[in-house]
Amino acid sequence: MEISSIMFDAYIITTINAFDDDKVRALTKRCVDSCRAYNINPILFDAVVPATLEKYYPGWPVREDYRERLLNNYRKKAGKEPTKEIENRMIVMQQCMTMSHYEVRKKIIKNGYPAIILEHDAIVQRLLDVGQPYNQFAVNLCRREQATHGYAIGPEPAKKYNDIYEDLGFAGHDNMNRYINEEQIIKITPYKDSNPVVVGNALHESQWDTHRGAVKTKLDYVPTTTSGVY
């Protein structure tokens, strides 16, 4: 199917059905409305949350270099040493976000055509460029290379992206950008110096503040069986 002949679906990863949160509802609606404004079909996708993480997490070992990166970010931003509980919570939150993206990519692989993946606080600000190589790469629709709150990807690069975790182990989805392209070039960022398709992801709108070890949304359950901390 020619890319130019379809209306893109956009899977919006949201916790709207997991937590009673007016902010999440408002940001999700904003994301949905921004998609519709630019001829993109929004589809809400239930995020993996701590209460459901063990259902999805395949048991990948946490990369020690990633664990140290996460802990060092906490030390730098919080100004203190993380406890084992904080360490576990940070890793669990990163696993939830990562598995949410992983599960959406599985859906794209199954459906067999490219789609957009958005986090609930993303904003589509202009029409999608149909000439980008969505069938070959994960095309970052944001300006920052490390950003993962908006990208478009086809089934082939989605499978490559997911399969790399089997070889490399677990690192949070933002930091996977540091690893995936070392294995093979999967992700490109064509809008570093131009007008990005997707903006948003403001710090004050973030649902999780994992680098400081503080979960902004109250959690009733935090699994201990996925991170190997305890």
Side-chain angles (χ1 to χ4, degrees), residues 27-94:
L27 293 175
T28 301
K29 182 181 184 302
R30 184 184 69 181
C31 187
V32 166
D33 290 345
S34 74
C35 288
R36 289 175 175 158
Y38 293 103
N39 198 36
I40 293 169
N41 178 41
I43 302 170
L44 298 189
F45 187 91
D46 285 334
V48 175
V49 295
T52 61
L53 178 60
E54 289 161 314
K55 176 181 176 182
Y56 296 101
Y57 193 71
W60 299 311
V62 177
R63 292 181 62 97
E64 288 305 314
D65 54 347
Y66 172 70
R67 188 193 301 274
E68 278 306 304
R69 180 183 295 276
L70 195 63
L71 297 181
N72 284 335
N73 279 335
Y74 177 89
R75 294 178 182 114
K76 178 180 177 181
K77 294 179 179 181
K80 58 184 177 181
E81 190 68 18
T83 65
K84 286 296 182 183
E85 179 184 4
I86 288 293
E87 179 181 347
N88 190 56
R89 288 168 73 88
M90 287 194 295
I91 291 174
V92 164
M93 299 322 304
Q94 292 291 339

Side-chain angles (χ1 to χ4, degrees), residues 13 45-50 52-61 91-107 117 119 148 151 161-162 165-166 169-174 176 208 223 226:
I13 299 170
F45 187 91
D46 285 334
V48 175
V49 295
T52 61
L53 178 60
E54 289 161 314
K55 176 181 176 182
Y56 296 101
Y57 193 71
W60 299 311
I91 291 174
V92 164
M93 299 322 304
Q94 292 291 339
Q95 288 172 325
C96 287
M97 290 185 284
T98 299
M99 293 313 300
S100 297
H101 284 260
Y102 184 90
E103 289 297 317
V104 176
R105 289 194 296 267
K106 281 174 61 176
K107 185 173 283 290
I117 300 177
E119 294 175 358
T148 57
Y151 58 100
Y161 198 135
N162 280 7
Y165 284 89
E166 301 295 337
F170 177 78
H173 72 115
D174 286 344
M176 276 303 287
W208 314 119
T226 60

Side-chain angles (χ1 to χ4, degrees), residues 118-218:
L118 300 171
E119 294 175 358
H120 77 284
D121 53 354
I123 307 167
V124 179
Q125 68 167 4
R126 66 176 181 84
L127 290 170
L128 196 68
D129 296 317
V130 296
Q132 292 289 354
Y134 305 114
N135 278 319
Q136 287 77 47
F137 300 100
V139 179
N140 186 3
L141 303 177
C142 309
R143 177 169 288 151
R144 289 193 307 112
E145 286 188 271
Q146 286 299 108
T148 57
H149 60 281
Y151 58 100
I153 190 169
E156 184 176 336
K159 186 176 188 310
K160 291 178 180 178
Y161 198 135
N162 280 7
D163 286 350
I164 282 178
Y165 284 89
E166 301 295 337
D167 294 332
L168 296 184
F170 177 78
H173 72 115
D174 286 344
N175 282 270
M176 276 303 287
N177 300 342
R178 305 178 192 277
Y179 301 106
I180 59 175
N181 282 2
E182 292 179 5
E183 179 104 347
Q184 57 183 304
I185 302 298
I186 293 174
K187 183 178 179 183
I188 61 172
T189 304
Y191 301 109
K192 285 184 288 188
D193 301 311
S194 60
N195 188 25
V197 177
V198 173
V199 294
N201 196 228
L203 181 61
H204 71 280
E205 294 177 345
S206 175
Q207 186 174 14
W208 314 119
D209 187 2
T210 52
H211 285 167
R212 295 173 180 81
V215 182
K216 293 182 179 180
T217 297
K218 181 180 181 298

Side-chain angles (χ1 to χ4, degrees), residues 5-23:
S5 69
I6 65 171
M7 177 182 183
F8 266 72
D9 290 335
Y11 293 99
I12 300 171
I13 299 170
T14 176
T15 59
I16 197 169
N17 293 319
F19 306 114
D20 184 14
D21 190 310
D22 288 339
K23 187 181 199 179

